[in-house]
Amino acid sequence: MTRRIIDVRLRETLKARGMDQKRLAEMTGLTTRTISELASGKMQRLPKDALARIADALNTDDIRDIITIERSNDEN
């Protein structure tokens, strides 16, 4: 069965832009813990407000800079 999974790309995007999580936290007003949990994929729910703040800070209109949805083949 094919299912969809959320792939958080924030860490890769920050690296490509030469920015660290602390700087992003400062720019967004989000805590470094929130940014860290988002970047590591540990956060189970993705708050729309946080995503919007991150998009603003990264000056992007493309959500794929932050997250993507991919297909995963689940054999169960």
Side-chain angles (χ1 to χ4, degrees):
M1 175 163 81
T2 301
R3 61 181 218 139
R4 308 249 190 281
I5 58 170
I6 303 291
D7 181 31
V8 180
R9 301 195 32 76
L10 184 56
R11 184 174 282 152
E12 293 88 351
T13 298
L14 290 175
K15 185 176 180 181
R17 293 174 183 233
M19 185 183 299
D20 64 13
Q21 293 178 19
K22 182 179 178 186
R23 176 71 181 127
L24 182 61
E26 292 167 355
M27 293 174 70
T28 59
L30 300 169
T31 65
T32 53
R33 179 178 177 173
T34 296
I35 297 295
S36 176
E37 288 180 358
L38 278 166
S40 67
K42 290 181 182 177
M43 190 170 278
Q44 293 298 308
R45 292 192 170 99
L46 302 172
K48 290 191 296 183
D49 180 63
L51 295 175
R53 288 182 188 197
I54 291 168
D56 283 342
L58 296 176
N59 195 29
T60 185
D61 294 322
D62 192 346
I63 194 67
R64 293 173 295 180
D65 287 337
I66 305 168
I67 62 171
T68 59
I69 299 174
E70 299 179 355
R71 292 180 185 207
S72 171
N73 290 327
D74 188 1
E75 296 184 18
N76 293 330

